[in-house]
Amino acid sequence: MNYDWNFSRLAPYTRAFASGTATTLTLTFWVVVLGTIVGVGLGLVLRRRAAIYAMYPIIDVIRAIPPLVLLLFFYFLLSRNVIGRTVDAYWVCVIGLSLNLAAFVADLVRAAVANVPASVIDAGLALGMRRHQVTRHVVLPHVARELLPSLTALYIGMLKLSSLASIINVRDVVYAAQTVIADISRSLEAWVIVGVIYVVLVLPATYGARRLERWSRRGSERRSA
Amino acid sequence: MNATIASPPTAGAPPALRVEKLRKTFGDHTVLRDISFELAQGEILGVIGPSGGGKTTLLRCLNLLEEPDSGALSYFGDLRVSVGSNDAPKSLPEETRTLVRRQVGLVFQNFNLWDERTVLENLTLGPTVVQRIAREHASAAAIELCDQFGLARYLSHRVWQLSGGQKQRVAIMRALIMNPRLLLLDEVTSALDPMLAAEVLNSIRDLRRQGRTMIVVTHHMEFASSLCDRLMFLDQGAIVQLDTPGSLKANPRTDTVKRFLEILRSTN
Ligand SMILES: Nc1ncnc2c1ncn2[C@@H]1O[C@H](COP(=O)(O)OP(=O)(O)O)[C@@H](O)[C@H]1O
Ligand SMILES: [Mg+2]
């Protein structure tokens, strides 16, 4: 290999990478929180037939648009020219990616809610629970358990998708790498570091998700035994 | 109604339940046709009859999990529900349903427990959500019940880890912890082998000693005769006979009843 690796030149950028990592994490956090809340809400609304006709086209369209395009669209939509004021790129990114996540979560939740056995619901009703109490205390916990593996996979995907944020100048970990490259032209080292950071963030989440999945699968195997 | 009430345990008090001309259809299939009967407070009524006769549907209607097409139900003289008449609303308001269900507990034939939750959670969810009882108090009540039912060791087990008999007792406890004035039990032993069934039947005998008003759907004739004040024979959605266990066995009104009793005798 002829390339002269030199990571020490990147030392002055440690802080930039650290704050970029922090941004990546908080960004993902907000996307996951907002995307889940909106997605679950939509998923519950989608139980009604009228809502299915009204909402599904919108959800399908959002799911069809590549996240990068969605981000750029919102970046130019939420600007001074169009709405009279600028929205911070960080929040543009939160909005765009949350919307993407919400569309996927809504579809998952709708399907899972539709598949909750009537017996599970009847048990709550028979005790005198109101509809909304059954939804909150019986249906949602059941659905959450069923969806845990798919949701964690989506969340991990969001962590990786957040790397698109640098396109609209959010100072995430990818943006830090671009700074290094512009300053000292050490591309390979910069991308190795970014790659390592993502691996360190994603691997524990993946292992956690796998354990969670095994745990919930064991429950259902015994149940059907 | 030409059946006699055999020594109602609390005469003078309003009936625990009065059912008048209860009708229920699914599509064009009439499952309950003009069912009328009364249940005294403290009385235990057994419901027997061939499967598909409408026993489960009757219990579900009494708890308003199914809305009757028409008829009137009155609980303990003070809670009246009327459907299908001209002045009655098209569909019962949620308020009425929950009010009834808080007084009328239902134990399902197939347990209908929340399998992936613990026994304790299955027991405390009703009291904490419906009656807004503090978690500590609900837990204390659950622990006491589990002691009574011999399941104290299983409080923190998940329901899917339990045996059928244990599950059925949890299902009974889940209804009992709400302290219903009327308890409906749907074939609580049919999913169990004889040993486990015996455990559950003993638990129900204990409930009788506590003076609980109950309607018990069962195929155990021995058990039904010794436990119940009266037996109702339900076939094709109609009450064929409503009598004390003694007179039902001595004078079956129709051939169906007679044959059914013979089959039960030969299989139990
Ligand atoms: N949800 C339902 N939809 C349609 N038909 C039903 C439903 N529930 C019960 N039935 C029908 O009503 C009849 C009585 O059923 P059921 O009350 O379960 O009888 P039993 O408990 O005595 O065996 C059966 O013919 C059954 O197929
Ligand atoms: Mg039945």
Side-chain angles (χ1 to χ4, degrees), chain B residues 186-203:
Chain B
D186 194 359
E187 297 199 33
V188 287
T189 57
S190 65
L192 309 177
D193 66 47
M195 285 286 283
L196 297 178
E199 288 175 23
V200 172
L201 296 181
N202 282 331
S203 302

Side-chain angles (χ1 to χ4, degrees), chain A residues 118-133 136-139 141-142 145 215 218-220 222-223, chain B residues 60 63 65 94-95 98 101-102 104-106 108 112-117 125-126 129-130 132 158 160-161 174-175 178:
Chain A
S119 61
V120 167
I121 295 168
D122 279 355
L125 291 176
L127 290 173
M129 287 187 199
R130 292 167 187 282
R131 274 266 158 209
H132 72 89
Q133 291 173 325
R136 180 165 156 220
H137 297 284
V138 179
V139 173
H142 185 94
R145 198 188 162 85
W215 168 71
R218 189 173 53 214
S220 58
R222 297 263 180 99
R223 245 179 287 155
Chain B
R60 287 174 64 91
N63 172 278
L65 266 184
E94 187 176 45
E95 193 62 39
T98 53
R101 289 172 189 156
R102 283 166 205 203
V104 182
L106 173 59
F108 299 88
N112 288 13
L113 291 168
W114 298 304
D115 282 338
E116 66 290 341
R117 296 198 187 188
L125 197 63
V129 171
V130 175
R132 301 189 185 289
R158 297 195 181 264
W160 54 261
Q161 299 175 301
R174 183 174 63 179
M178 306 297 286

Side-chain angles (χ1 to χ4, degrees), chain B residues 55-56 109 186-187:
Chain B
K55 304 183 293 297
T56 298
Q109 186 168 350
D186 194 359
E187 297 199 33

